[in-house]
């Protein structure tokens, strides 16, 4: 039956309220005009057709002609009417129904797997086909590509994530949390026959069609209104009443899943971020940008989730505590579209303890055949009193780091590395207090709201927990509070920053606003007692460092940049559509300045020389160059033999790199660990199958070997120690890697 839509006064009022909130309270409220609503229609179309293969370009032109930007803005903002939403969706259903019928007939034919044509997989920036005939050509290539991918793919053997712990409740699109557990390695199955491969593709598109027809009106409305909120920035969104209610249930019950924030890109489920302390994070088997291709319950057959609604995927991943879920993953760094791996996880609620800070001491080779003890504190998140559960609510990142500093100093460290590479943020108060462990006192962050008012948050404690040589290690995954700490310590000249070309660039603050709480009329305009209001998550503030520079978009740029594959991945703020711009405000009144060139120049020069001469950097460069070459190849061959040969070449390269890594890792620095709280349970290791070994895949333990960035950060701190010993004047006349300059104030 044809989908029907009938508006009601309560929902229309909620829509107008959403627009009012955006125009009055969003940080970027002056950045969006009525003319910008022209982008809402193609954005909404892309939400259902990310591959740009079902709609036609003429559909877009017809929609935009029929509903101009001014028409959309006036009807939505003044009347709350979003009828175009359902008419566009109805066309989407029609186009998909027709195309799936065409696909099923096409799959009955023979395919030429020996042509020398290619197919561009990423069509997110491509136009929709101009005609049905042009779409047919693209679809024949697409189906050939999918068929080859099925024929090349083998059923992955199970691997393991590791250890367990606990964490706060999830966010709306979150698959909650889980504990990984080992499974016995099983041999890979044989490759599929052509008929079996075709059957998989057939099921995939039948499922896509069913998923589309299962969409409810409130879900379609939510997607459309979120297309409007994202005109303002990528972090703002609208939650329908049903989604918001589901979020509330999650917060109260702590539903069990894998500890990952999920999203949909081009019909594929993508891991957007890992929740700190969740098994997906702790197991180190999953990374942001990895794609979930299938989900299986314990020993059942995997269910392919491509084309499935996000809520249904999340429901498949969640489950009862103690039950297992298996995820078939396509790694975000995969250069072969057919590459797959499997992670087996036992569901459980996580708590914060496993995300607590931990420390190690590394013995770094020094002069006269002596070693220099240098500490490393790894901080996964800025957790604190209001961020925990299950008895972990008393944990504090600042107190934990202070305690570890005491232990490290008692053990005689001569320098320190603060590792924030996997730290996606957390409590701002903890970031401020933790910065205070390394400076005397003063401004740490400035926060500007939508009115232009600036609030300066200071470290008020004049005590310094550690005043020795300090480096902060960061990556593209260091975000929000991590960027504030790294940037503030850089502003004060208190630490040298080392890592990827920049941090993530998340310099904005969001607030969840209930519609009924934001406007009293909504509370009294309900047509029935059953009517419920939704909510909006809006960006309302931006962060700035003590010197007035924003951390938004640009993040924090390290003093010493190390080569990194993460710099090639689309995981930073700058990769998000319509991200807020970088800017600066007036500097705060703080006593400090960036490290003097007398300090940074010799440290940078020594690191640069090592990057040119050490074998481990040559190994890293080979991997980066290979990955970049693959990434630059936008079109994929749809010749089966060419693809098979390419896969064999890729496998040979991975095996060669694994061999080099094994050899180089024999020279690891000697280390001893320091932890807080009860000891962690031992990691359960899984043996790789012969097929995985032959393909050059790594075990979890192998993946942890040869941490090149950490090794170089330790060497830089060692250089700083040596520099201070040779020239005390440097640390007297310029802001140093110690706190002496701050003490003078």
């Amino acid at each position: 039956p044809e989908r029907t839509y009938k508006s009601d006064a309560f929902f229309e009022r909620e829509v107008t309220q959403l627009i009012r909130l955006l125009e009055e309270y969003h940080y970027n409220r002056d950045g969006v005009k009525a003319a910008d609503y022209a982008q809402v229609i193609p954005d909404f179309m892309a939400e259902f057709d990310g591959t740009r293969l079902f709609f036609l370009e003429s559909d877009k032109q017809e929609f935009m002609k029929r509903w101009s930007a001014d028409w959309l803005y006036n009807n939505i903002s003044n009347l709350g009417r979003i009828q175009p939403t359902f008419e566009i969706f109805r066309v989407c259903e029609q186009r998909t129904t027709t195309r799936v019928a065409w696909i099923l007939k096409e799959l009955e034919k023979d395919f030429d797997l020996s042509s020398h044509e290619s197919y561009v997989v990423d069509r997110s920036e491509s136009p929709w086909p101009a005609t049905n005939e042009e779409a047919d050509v693209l679809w024949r290539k697409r189906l050939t590509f999918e068929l080859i991918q099925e024929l090349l793919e083998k059923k992955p053997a199970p691997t393991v994530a590791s250890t367990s712990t606990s964490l706060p409740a999830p966010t709306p699109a979150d698959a909650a949390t889980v504990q990984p557990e080992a499974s016995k390695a099983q041999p890979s199955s044989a490759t599929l026959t052509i008929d079996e491969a075709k059957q998989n593709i057939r099921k995939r598109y039948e499922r896509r069609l069913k998923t589309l027809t299962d969409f409810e009106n409130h879900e379609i409305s939510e997607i459309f209104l979120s297309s409007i909120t994202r005109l303002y920035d990528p972090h703002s969104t609208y939650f329908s009443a049903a989604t918001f209610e589901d979020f509330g249930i999650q917060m109260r019950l702590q539903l069990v899943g894998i500890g990952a924030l999920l999203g949909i890109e081009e019909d594929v489920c993508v891991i957007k971020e890992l929740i700190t302390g969740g098994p997906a994070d702790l197991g180190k088997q999953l990374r942001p940008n990895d794609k979930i291709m299938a989900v299986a319950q314990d020993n059942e057959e995997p269910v392919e989730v491509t084309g499935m609604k996000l809520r249904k995927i999340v429901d498949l991943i969640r489950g009862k505590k103690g039950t297992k879920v298996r995820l078939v993953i396509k790694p975000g760094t995969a250069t072969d579209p057919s590459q797959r791996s499997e992670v087996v996880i036992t569901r459980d609620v996580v708590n914060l303890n496993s995300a607590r800070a931990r420390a190690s001491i590394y013995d770094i080779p020094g002069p006269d055949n002596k070693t220099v003890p240098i500490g490393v504190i790894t901080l996964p998140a800025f957790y604190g009193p209001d961020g925990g559960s299950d008895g972990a609510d008393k944990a504090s990142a600042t107190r934990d780091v202070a305690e570890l500093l005491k232990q490290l100093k008692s053990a005689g460290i001569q320098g320190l590395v603060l590792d924030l590479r996997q730290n996606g943020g957390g409590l701002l108060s903890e970031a401020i207090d933790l910065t205070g462990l390394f400076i005397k006192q003063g401004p740490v962050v400035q926060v500007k709201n939508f009115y232009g008012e600036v609030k300066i948050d200071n470290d008020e404690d004049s005590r310094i927990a550690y005043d020795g040589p300090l480096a902060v290690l960061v990556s593209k995954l260091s975000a929000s509070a991590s960027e504030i700490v790294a940037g503030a310590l850089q502003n004060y000249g208190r630490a040298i920053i080392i890592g990827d070309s920049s941090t993530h660039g998340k310099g904005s603050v969001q607030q969840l606003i209930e519609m009924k709480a934001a406007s009293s009329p909504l509370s009294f305009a309900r047509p029935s007692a059953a009517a419920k209001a939704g909510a909006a998550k809006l960006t309302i503030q931006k962060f700035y460092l003590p010197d007035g520079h924003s951390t938004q978009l640009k993040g924090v740029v390290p003093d010493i940049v190390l080569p990194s594959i993460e710099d090639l991945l689309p995981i930073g703020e700058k990769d998000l559509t319509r991200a807020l711009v970088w800017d600066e405000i007036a500097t705060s009144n703080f006593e400090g300045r960036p490290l003097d060139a007398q300090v940074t120049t010799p440290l940078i020069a020594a690191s640069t020389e090592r990057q040119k001469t050490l074998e481990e950097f040559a190994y890293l460069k080979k991997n980066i160059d290979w990955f970049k070459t693959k990434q630059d190849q936008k079109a994929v061959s749809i010749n089966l033999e060419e693809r098979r040969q390419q896969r064999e070449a890729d496998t040979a390269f991975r095996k060669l790199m694994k061999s080099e890594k094994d050899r180089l890792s024999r020279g690891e620095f000697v280390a001893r660990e320091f932890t807080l709280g009860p000891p962690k349970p031992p990691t359960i290791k899984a043996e790789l199958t012969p097929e995985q070994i032959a393909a050059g895949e790594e075990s979890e333990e192998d993946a942890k070997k040869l941490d090149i960035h950490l090794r170089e950060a330790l060497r830089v701190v060692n250089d700083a120690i040596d520099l201070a010993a040779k020239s005390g004047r440097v640390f007297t006349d310029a802001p140093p890697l110690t706190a002496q300059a701050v003490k003078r104030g």
Side-chain angles (χ1 to χ4, degrees), residues 433-508:
D433 291 344
L434 189 134
T435 302
L437 297 177
F438 304 102
I439 65 172
K440 187 176 181 180
Q441 58 188 149
V444 173
V445 63
Q446 302 187 77
V447 185
K448 189 173 80 168
N449 66 15
F450 39 74
Y451 296 117
E453 299 168 337
V454 176
K455 176 177 176 290
I456 300 175
D457 289 319
N458 297 275
D459 165 44
E460 305 288 355
D461 192 339
S462 61
R463 293 173 295 178
I464 297 175
Y466 174 78
D467 63 359
L470 173 65
V472 179
L473 189 55
V474 295
S475 75
K476 271 287 191 294
L477 301 177
S478 305
S480 194
S482 290
E483 297 175 286
I484 290 169
V485 172
L489 293 176
Q490 189 179 52
N491 276 192
Y492 278 91
R494 180 60 192 90
I496 190 157
I497 314 300
I498 306 169
D500 296 351
S501 61
S502 71
T503 55
H504 186 85
K506 171 70 164 60
S508 60

Side-chain angles (χ1 to χ4, degrees), residues 202-352:
R202 184 178 291 109
K203 288 179 180 178
R204 180 179 306 146
Y205 285 104
E206 288 173 341
R207 182 175 59 252
R208 178 191 171 90
L209 182 58
K210 184 179 185 307
T211 296
L212 199 64
T213 57
D214 283 345
F215 267 93
E216 298 179 30
N217 283 355
H218 72 84
E219 294 175 302
I220 302 168
S221 302
E222 181 176 69
I223 292 169
F224 185 80
L225 292 173
S226 289
S227 296
I228 294 175
T229 63
R230 284 193 292 272
L231 291 176
Y232 288 78
D233 87 307
H235 300 292
S236 295
T237 192
Y238 166 77
F239 299 137
S240 68
T243 299
F244 184 56
E245 184 177 29
D246 184 46
F247 173 57
I249 293 171
Q250 292 176 44
M251 292 298 290
R252 291 192 299 272
L253 300 183
Q254 288 194 311
L255 298 181
V256 180
I258 68 167
L261 183 67
L262 307 178
I264 296 292
E265 293 180 4
E266 298 181 18
D267 303 326
V268 178
C269 181
V270 180
I271 295 176
K272 294 294 188 179
E273 65 181 75
L274 302 178
I275 299 177
T276 305
D281 168 43
L282 296 171
K284 307 305 178 189
Q285 294 284 345
L286 301 176
R287 301 273 292 172
N289 220 38
D290 285 352
K291 298 171 177 60
I292 299 176
M293 311 305 294
V295 179
Q297 310 301 323
D298 203 355
N299 294 320
E300 296 179 14
E301 282 296 308
V303 175
E304 189 175 323
V305 296
T306 301
M308 192 177 287
K309 287 196 297 185
L310 182 60
R311 181 172 291 183
K312 289 200 172 184
I313 299 173
V314 170
D315 287 342
L316 284 174
I317 294 173
R318 289 175 180 156
K320 293 181 180 178
K321 180 176 179 179
T323 58
K324 294 178 182 177
V325 62
R326 302 190 343 257
L327 305 180
V328 177
I329 301 296
K330 177 184 175 183
T333 55
T335 55
D336 179 357
S338 65
Q339 184 177 337
R340 299 290 185 272
S341 62
E342 186 171 286
V343 179
V344 181
I345 302 172
T346 299
R347 300 176 177 100
D348 199 356
V349 177
V350 290
N351 66 55
L352 195 57

Side-chain angles (χ1 to χ4, degrees), residues 334-401:
T335 55
D336 179 357
S338 65
Q339 184 177 337
R340 299 290 185 272
S341 62
E342 186 171 286
V343 179
V344 181
I345 302 172
T346 299
R347 300 176 177 100
D348 199 356
V349 177
V350 290
N351 66 55
L352 195 57
N353 273 332
S354 48
R356 293 179 72 176
R358 60 187 186 275
S360 300
I361 294 180
Y362 288 80
D363 294 324
I364 311 303
D368 303 324
N369 293 320
K370 295 181 179 179
T371 58
V372 179
I374 298 177
V376 175
I377 292 180
T378 303
L379 184 65
F382 289 93
Y383 49 88
D386 60 342
S389 61
D390 293 338
D393 56 336
K394 294 181 181 178
S396 158
T398 304
R399 288 198 298 270
D400 284 353
V401 169

Side-chain angles (χ1 to χ4, degrees), residues 55 74 229 352 470 492 522 562 651 679:
F55 282 115
N74 290 328
T229 63
L352 195 57
L470 173 65
Y492 278 91
L522 280 176
L562 303 178
T651 297

Side-chain angles (χ1 to χ4, degrees), residues 5 41 44 63 66-67 71-72 75-76 81-90 220 224:
Y5 167 71
I41 285 176
F44 179 65
F63 296 152
R66 185 175 174 188
W67 301 297
W71 189 98
L72 285 172
N75 277 270
I76 294 171
R81 294 176 182 168
I82 59 170
Q83 287 90 340
T85 308
F86 299 94
E87 297 193 41
I88 293 171
F89 185 81
R90 189 177 296 117
I220 302 168
F224 185 80

